[in-house]
């Protein structure tokens, strides 16, 4: 059963279609890489999948629920509980420490304090940053920031993790570390992963690679 | 450059019209407030100068007495002076119109001799027509003892020759006949509309002042030489007469409104201080927002100076546009302000003030220069940053919002506050000098604004511990405030501080004055000629009328009060006289020195004319450095008279100060039995209202006020005076709150990535709105709290140092809690109003272009 | 404000409403008594005292002419007469002029005041003042003048060696066919004068010479068809004095009441005639007003011919701030038929810039 389904999804800016007629089926625990040149529409597609943007045509179903028809509140709720996001530029909240950044989704979900502590300790351990728990984002290296971002995205055990060029702003070694972390953690908790990238190496950790060009999947990649 | 400027600056401004409008609003409001205050100020001063500049063709010298009237019988001694100069004798008085009780200034001029002082005649063609049409009018004016010439402005209201104007002069009912219309002088301010010109002997008769003049103006004949003329005049001048340049008269008008103008000056400072903060913020935001553009330009090889020029060009453009808008707005605002000024001047000084503010070109240029200059200065630092920062750094996304070093700021704030306070309180320069208080206030202001920044982390503290994620996200930024937070808080603190400072000062003033009034106004009824207002009024009632009323069986005691303008030690002040016996037994003057009430009053009565004593007002004592026990040489018609200062009384009635003699001494010295106002103490059982009604019936030319009515009137005047102050302060506050909105808008823009990620994490629109709103309120609260403290400190300096120093007024300090609460609520309410739409907008921000368009 | 001033002043410009309005009229048989009749006659509407003269420095190197005129003008009768200090019933106007031949300048000033503190004329003797200008006769008969004009100050003592000359018949000088058009007119034609003149530049000169004083009072002078007059006071070196008074009609002709009188050195009228002519021998156009004046003039009578040659062409007075009248009044040399200088004259030409009708 697919956790996330896209059918005939298209998105238009002004009069030109950025993406069009995209179909996707993501099953639990599956890792997919969206590979393609700049401007091919992969980030747009990712935003659509994350409910951050609405398609102009087609439907997207998360656990069978149409994102298209969900109210903004329901969308936010889905993003809290079922989706996780990792950005190229980390987007950590600069005024929260590493640990607090990781806690944030759990606090949004109003988990009990004890569970938050437990889960947070577990995650910070998992991303290997226990010693930096109290550090401000500005004090972290790029690789460390992205590891925090990964932990944050996975904190609420989302069904789907969306990652937008997670290694795009990192050096090779840090990139590798983040990639293996992504693979390892999603594997561990059974989250599916959709990763936008243009690095073949990054795509290596995925079960499937979808190549995009001009807003469409290239033939035979489905 | 122009190609670039058009595309990078103009186009950007048009595209980001919201930001552009906000900046324009800030510039134009700042310019408008500043300009309107200047224009109002100008109008107030101009109305006082109108006589010297308008009615008098510029005279070169004025001769007057030090005290009392100038008897015209002294003129023949000055006749030889006519070899070098023409002479214009002048008597002034007031007329109150019956139907409207509107006050008019009566100016008595020798209409025959007036012609001789003209420098040139009319063009010959018009001379003939004027001659023919005006001959009968000339004699009709000269030979009619109630003929008046009215200004064109009054004629425009429908008055024409032959009309009768009924009203009162002193307490007598008179009927004046319009005999002609005074044309407005070319190239000069229009004549004020409430001016009535009469022929000199007719005016003297009507005012009941036969043989008296107020002053004689002199103008050099062609080819004359002023120093030579002055030397001759000095040689011939009889004792008791003084000569002064005509400006001095205007100058005394200026001091008349000094307190008011002082008020306005402080207000214009608010506009400037708040405006400067806002502009800096605006340009900082603008540069920030477009840092990529600038970085790209640099990367493409544009020299730093070119980038700087572009940024400054944008600033100049916004400055010019904003100033132009501000000029229009300022002019409109000035009309309102002038109304306020004129009401005040009318109420407090009985003089008439201009009803409209002009828009002189120099003021407009000044406004443009200040508006544009302020923008350029505000843009300077951001422009330099844009030009100097290496492109790579500019391009980096978020490393930009460096937190302020608030620890140092707190330290600096404390130091500035301390230094300012020490400066204001520590020095004791000569009376009238107050630079230390101004400098102290400026330091306090600086300290207060720094304090607002330092206060932000304190307010953010709950954010450190709280587990509530929204609160945490809202308050954490305050723990590490950026420059933008700091600016918004500081600007708000300054605006609130100024508002509170002025407000508390005004309320302290009001309380003090009301207490003073409560103590000094004890009589049951106050009687004065209709149209009397303030010390400057020239209405008097005849001694007979006063005696008649005083001897009424219903009256237990009456205090006849008279007041004259005099010149003491070369400066204008007032000499008053009252019945010390009545005052001592029934009055309640507040004494600042000289012993407890009524000791000094009884000493005055006891000294009589053999050992004359005088009470001086606090203002007088400060101005002239006079102490109790000192012997003063007072000018009187018969020459200088000596009197010992027996006490210092509180008097908030005028800022020129006053002297008070016992009435018998005054009568002996001045032989002037007229009465400016009459305070009546009724016999027990008499109803003040009933007696007042009877007096009004018997004397239609007198205004009779009961104690309560007079108090109400004084309070109303007081409130009216300061209503304007509050209105202008409110504008300052609104600008500051707009600035707060602007600052947080910039902040939201800079943090759009963060907002985007919060949304991705599942924060709803309303979560984000609440977070941004809460953060903004935190900043507002920091501004408010430090503004309150700053304001109270400023108020103390105003009350304790500036007022005594500048006006010689000792005020009791009182904290108007209600007012503080009101300002706080208004600030927070306004902040919510401004922040709510801004937060909602911020919550909707998309991350950045690359997110939308795909990397 | 100049507007107001100019307005008021234009109002004041020698405004005399027509008709005698209850003022005394000049009538034959008037008995003159002195010093009283040198004083003011407020019962008459108009009165003037005219001092003109020719002055030389001691060495004769500099020559000046001067004019000092005091006018008194009564207002139409009215109940309100102002105060004693600022009277509304009597106005005083005065003109002063100084002709400086060497300096080629003509200094003029004027005064307008109401009777009272700043101007006045006593009724019992000659005692006139207006601001700082004065003319007064002391008990010895000498007249003292003081005037200042544009920085120049003249102080003179005038000595009347003879009694005053009273013109006209039976004390009445007729000015027109209308019986009311007449005045009482008396003159000191030769007043030995000496005194000091301080020039605007500072130097004080001792001056001496011969002055002429006219004193005339009336309530109505010019007849309906008269537009102005020409007057000349001629002091000949041979001791004779001539007074010519020509009234001009609208059509340019000479009114039959025009008169030429000859007074001998002892102050007696020798002869008088209406048959004389004043012939223009040229024309001078004023650059200031554009008015044409018939200058120089030639007087022909009794077979004699006198050319009146101005010291300076421009001796025109514009008195917009007092009488409102523009006229020419200036010092002239008197030449005989052969061109010999035989005396001095003051010439007054009125009614060329505008008609004087209704003003006197």
């Amino acid at each position: 059963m697919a956790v996330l389904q896209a059918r005939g999804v298209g998105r238009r800016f002004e009069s030109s279609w950025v993406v069009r007629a995209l179909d996707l089926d993501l099953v639990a625990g599956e890792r997919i890489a969206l590979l393609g040149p700049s401007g091919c529409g992969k980030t747009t597609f990712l935003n659509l999948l994350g409910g951050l943007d609405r398609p102009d045509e087609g439907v997207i179903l998360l656990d069978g629920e149409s994102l298209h028809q969900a109210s903004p509140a329901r969308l936010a709720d889905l993003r809290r509980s079922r989706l996780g996001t990792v950005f190229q530029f980390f987007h950590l909240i600069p005024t929260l420490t590493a640990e607090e950044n990781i806690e944030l989704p759990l606090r949004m979900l109003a988990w009990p304090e004890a569970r938050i502590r437990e889960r947070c300790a577990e995650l910070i351990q998992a991303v290997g940053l226990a010693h930096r728990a109290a550090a401000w984002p500005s004090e972290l290296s790029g690789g460390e920031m992205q590891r925090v971002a990964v932990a944050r995205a996975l904190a609420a055990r989302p069904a789907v993790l969306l990652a937008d060029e997670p290694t795009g702003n990192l050096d090779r070694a840090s990139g590798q570390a983040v990639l293996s972390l992504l693979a390892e953690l999603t594997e561990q908790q059974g989250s599916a992963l959709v990763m936008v990238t243009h690095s073949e190496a990054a795509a290596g950790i995925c079960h499937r690679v979808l190549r995009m060009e001009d807003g469409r999947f290239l033939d035979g990649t489905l | 450059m122009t190609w670039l400027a058009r595309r990078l600056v103009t186009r950007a401004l048009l595209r980001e019209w919201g930001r552009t409008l906000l900046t324009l609003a800030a510039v134009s409001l700042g310019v408008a407030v500043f300009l309107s205050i200047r224009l109002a100020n100008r109008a107030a001063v101009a109305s006082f100068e109108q006589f010297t500049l308008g009615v008098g063709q510029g005279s070169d010298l004025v001769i007057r007495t030090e005290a009392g009237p100038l008897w015209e019988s002294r003129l023949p001694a000055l006749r030889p002076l006519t070899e070098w100069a023409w002479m214009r004798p002048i008597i002034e008085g007031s007329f109150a119109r019956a139907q409207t009780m509107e006050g008019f200034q009566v100016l008595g001029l020798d209409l025959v001799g007036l012609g001789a002082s003209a420098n040139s005649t009319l063009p010959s063609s018009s001379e003939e027509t004027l001659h023919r049409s005006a001959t009968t009018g000339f004699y009709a004016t000269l030979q009619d003892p109630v003929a008046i010439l009215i200004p064109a402005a009054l004629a425009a209201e429908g008055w024409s020759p032959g009309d009768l104007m009924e009203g009162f002069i002193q307490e007598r009912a008179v009927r004046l006949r319009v005999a002609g219309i005074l044309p407005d002088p070319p190239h000069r301010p229009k004549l004020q509309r409430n001016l009535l010109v009469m022929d000199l002997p007719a005016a003297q008769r009507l005012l009941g002042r036969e043989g008296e003049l107020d002053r004689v103006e002199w103008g050099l004949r062609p080819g004359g030489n002023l120093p030579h003329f002055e030397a001759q005049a000095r040689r011939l001048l009889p004792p008791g007469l003084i000569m002064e340049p005509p400006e001095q008269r205007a100058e005394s008008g200026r001091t008349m409104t000094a307190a008011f103008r002082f008020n306005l000056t402080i207000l214009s400072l608010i506009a400037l201080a708040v405006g400067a903060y806002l502009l800096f913020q605006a340009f900082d935001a603008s540069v920030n927002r477009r840092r990529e553009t600038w970085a790209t330009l640099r990367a493409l090889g544009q020299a730093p100076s070119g980038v700087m020029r572009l940024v400054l060009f944008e600033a100049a453009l916004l400055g010019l546009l904003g100033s132009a808008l501000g000029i229009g707005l300022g002019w409109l605002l000035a009309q309102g302000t002038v109304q306020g000024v004129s009401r005040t001047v009318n109420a407090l000084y009985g003089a008439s003030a201009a009803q409209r503010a002009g828009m002189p070109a120099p003021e407009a240029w000044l406004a443009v220069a200040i508006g544009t200059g302020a923008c350029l200065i505000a843009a300077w630092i951001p422009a330099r940053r844009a030009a100097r920062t290496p492109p790579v750094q500019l391009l980096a996304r978020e490393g930009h919002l460096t937190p302020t070093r608030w620890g140092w700021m707190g330290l600096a704030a404390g130091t500035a506050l301390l230094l300012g306070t020490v400066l204001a309180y520590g020095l004791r320069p000569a009376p009238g000098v107050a630079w230390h208080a101004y400098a102290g206030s400026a330091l306090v202001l600086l300290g207060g604004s720094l304090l607002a920044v330092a206060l932000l982390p304190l307010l953010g503290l709950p954010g450190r511990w709280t587990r509530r994620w929204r609160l945490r996200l809202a308050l954490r930024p305050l723990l590490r405030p950026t420059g933008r937070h700091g600016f918004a808080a500081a600007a708000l603190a300054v605006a609130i501080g100024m508002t509170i400072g002025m407000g508390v000062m005004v309320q302290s003033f009001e309380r003090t004055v009301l207490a003073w009034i409560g103590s000094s106004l004890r009589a049951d009824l106050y009687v004065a000629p209709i149209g009397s207002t303030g010390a400057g009024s020239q209405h008097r009632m005849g001694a007979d009328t006063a005696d008649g009323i005083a001897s009424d069986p219903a009256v237990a005691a009456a205090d006849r009060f008279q007041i004259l303008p005099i010149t003491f030690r070369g400066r204008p002040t007032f000499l008053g006289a009252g019945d010390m016996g009545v005052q001592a037994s029934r009055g309640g003057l507040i004494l600042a020195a000289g012993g407890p009430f009524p000791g000094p009053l009884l000493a005055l009565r006891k000294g009589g004319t053999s050992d004359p004593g005088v009470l001086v007002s606090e203002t007088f004592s400060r101005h002239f450095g006079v102490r109790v026990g000192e012997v003063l040489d007072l000018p009187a018609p018969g020459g200088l008279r000596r009197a010992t200062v027996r006490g210092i009384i509180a008097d908030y009635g005028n800022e020129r100060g006053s002297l008070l003699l016992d009435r018998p001494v005054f009568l002996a010295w001045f032989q002037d039995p007229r009465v400016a106002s009459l305070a009546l103490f009724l016999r027990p059982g008499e109803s003040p209202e009933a007696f007042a009604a009877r007096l009004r019936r018997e004397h239609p030319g007198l205004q009779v006020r009961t104690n309560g009515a007079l108090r109400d009137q004084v309070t109303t005047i007081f409130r009216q005076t300061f209503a304007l102050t509050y209105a202008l302060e409110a504008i300052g506050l609104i600008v500051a709150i707009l600035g707060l909105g602007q600052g947080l808008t910039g902040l939201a823009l800079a943090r759009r990535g963060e907002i985007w990620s919060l949304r991705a994490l599942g924060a709803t629109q309303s979560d984000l709105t609440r977070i941004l709103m809460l953060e903004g309120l935190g900043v507002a609260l920091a501004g408010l709290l430090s503004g309150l403290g700053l304001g109270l400190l400023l108020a103390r300096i105003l009350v304790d140092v500036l007022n005594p120093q500048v006006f010689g007024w000792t005020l009791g300090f009182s904290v108007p809690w209600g007012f503080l609460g009101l300002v706080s609520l208004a600030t927070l309410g306004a902040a919510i109003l401004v922040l709510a739409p801004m937060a909602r907008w911020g919550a909707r921000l998309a991350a950045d272009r690359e997110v939308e368009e795909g990397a | 404000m100049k507007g107001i001033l100019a307005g008021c002043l234009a109002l004041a410009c020698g405004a005399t409403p027509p008709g005698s309005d209850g003022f005394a009229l000049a009538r034959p048989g008037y008995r003159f008594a002195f010093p009283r009749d040198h004083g003011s006659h407020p019962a008459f509407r108009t009165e003037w005292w005219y001092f003109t003269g020719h002055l030389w420095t001691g060495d004769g190197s500099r020559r000046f002419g001067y004019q000092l005129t005091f006018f008194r003008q009564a207002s139409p009768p009215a109940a309100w007469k102002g105060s004693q200090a600022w009277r509304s019933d009597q106005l005083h106007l005065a003109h002063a002029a100084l002709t400086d031949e060497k300096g080629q300048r003509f200094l003029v000033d004027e005064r307008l005041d109401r009777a009272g503190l700043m101007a006045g004329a006593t009724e019992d003797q000659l005692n006139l003042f207006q601001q700082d200008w004065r003319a007064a006769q002391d008990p010895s008969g000498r007249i003292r003048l003081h005037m200042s004009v544009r920085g120049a100050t003249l102080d003179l003592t005038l000595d009347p060696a003879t009694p005053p000359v009273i013109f006209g018949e039976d004390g009445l000088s007729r000015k027109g066919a209308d019986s009311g058009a007449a005045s009482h007119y008396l003159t000191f034609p030769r007043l030995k004068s000496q005194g000091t003149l301080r020039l605007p530049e500072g130097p004080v000169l001792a001056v001496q010479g011969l002055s002429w004083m006219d004193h005339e009072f009336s309530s109505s002078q010019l007849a309906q068809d008269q537009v102005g007059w020409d007057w000349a006071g001629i002091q000949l070196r041979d001791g004779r004095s001539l007074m010519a008074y020509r009234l001009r009609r609208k059509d340019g002709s000479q009114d039959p009441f025009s008169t030429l009188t000859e007074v001998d050195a002892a102050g007696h009228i020798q002869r008088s005639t209406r048959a004389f002519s004043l012939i223009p021998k040229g024309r001078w156009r004023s650059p200031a007003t554009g008015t044409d004046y018939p200058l120089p003039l030639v007087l022909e009578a009794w077979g004699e011919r006198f050319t009146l040659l101005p010291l300076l062409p421009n001796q025109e007075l514009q008195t917009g701030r007092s009488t409102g009248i523009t006229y020419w009044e200036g010092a002239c040399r008197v030449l005989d038929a052969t061109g010999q200088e035989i005396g001095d004259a003051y010439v007054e030409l009125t009614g060329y810039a505008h008609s004087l009708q209704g003003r006197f």
Side-chain angles (χ1 to χ4, degrees), chain C residues 99-115:
Chain C
T99 307
D100 174 4
E101 184 182 33
K102 189 177 170 196
Q104 288 287 302
R105 60 184 164 180
F106 182 61
L107 305 176
V108 189
D109 207 351
E110 57 191 315
R111 304 272 197 261
L112 168 62
D113 291 280
R114 58 214 304 165

Side-chain angles (χ1 to χ4, degrees), chain B residues 673-685:
Chain B
R674 294 172 309 145
V675 171
S677 75
L678 191 61
L680 299 179
F681 300 87
L682 301 186
R683 288 192 195 285

Side-chain angles (χ1 to χ4, degrees), chain C residues 83-95:
Chain C
S83 64
Q84 270 311 301
W86 313 100
R87 287 169 59 176
S88 299
D89 57 339
Q90 296 285 346
L91 306 186
H92 288 257
L93 309 92
H95 298 167

Side-chain angles (χ1 to χ4, degrees), chain C residues 125-267:
Chain C
Q125 59 173 328
L126 179 66
N127 189 359
L128 300 161
F129 77 94
Q130 182 153 11
Q131 298 187 26
D132 61 317
W133 296 351
R134 290 186 306 275
Q137 190 173 32
D138 63 19
S140 69
R142 275 191 290 269
I143 299 167
R144 295 187 197 281
L145 293 188
H146 171 85
M147 66 178 239
S148 58
V149 48
R150 312 236 157 201
T153 311
L154 180 64
D155 278 286
L156 282 182
T157 304
L158 314 180
D159 195 355
T162 62
V165 179
I166 294 163
F167 288 113
E169 289 166 27
D170 203 9
L172 185 75
S173 170
R174 296 282 302 272
K175 297 289 159 62
D178 178 8
S179 67
S183 69
H184 298 299
Y185 181 11
L186 51 117
T187 290
F188 284 115
R190 296 179 94 87
L191 290 158
K192 275 185 73 180
S193 312
Q194 60 177 15
T196 55
L197 170 64
R198 198 189 66 216
L199 292 174
E201 304 71 48
V204 179
L205 309 174
V207 289
Q208 57 197 38
L210 210 53
S211 297
W212 177 302
M213 174 188 142
D214 266 0
H215 178 194
E216 193 163 9
F217 49 97
S218 71
S219 294
S220 165
Q221 282 225 348
L222 287 192
Q224 280 300 314
D225 60 342
Q226 297 167 345
V227 294
W229 67 79
D230 304 323
W231 174 93
I234 300 169
Q235 297 157 325
L236 296 174
R237 302 269 150 85
D238 60 13
R240 288 183 297 152
S241 307
L242 302 176
M243 191 281 288
Y245 188 95
R246 175 173 73 166
L247 293 152
R248 295 196 317 280
R249 288 166 155 175
K250 274 182 191 144
D251 59 8
S253 64
Q254 180 164 325
D255 190 281
F257 285 90
S258 305
T259 305
L260 172 69
T261 305
E262 183 186 305
V263 179
D264 67 11

Side-chain angles (χ1 to χ4, degrees), chain B residues 1-13 310 313:
Chain B
M1 184 71 188
T2 46
W3 184 89
L4 260 186
R6 214 166 28 240
R7 273 152 190 84
L8 291 182
V9 176
T10 327
R11 201 176 276 176
L13 287 178
L310 279 174
F313 171 73

Side-chain angles (χ1 to χ4, degrees), chain B residues 256-264 267 336-349 502 505-506 509-510 513 652-653 655 712-729 809:
Chain B
M256 266 164 89
T257 43
F260 200 73
R261 284 149 45 80
F262 162 79
N263 237 321
L264 292 179
L267 286 170
T337 314
V338 165
Q339 298 285 332
V341 171
S342 105
R343 230 192 347 257
T344 304
V345 167
N346 254 317
L348 293 183
Y349 308 105
M502 289 291 292
M505 189 269 273
V506 167
F509 195 10
E510 182 175 335
V513 170
Y652 303 92
E655 64 257 36
D712 286 350
Q713 193 186 0
V714 173
T715 315
T716 310
I717 288 174
F718 198 91
R719 301 229 160 106
Q720 260 178 9
T721 307
F722 289 102
L724 168 71
T725 313
Y726 289 127
L728 288 175
E729 276 168 5
W809 284 332

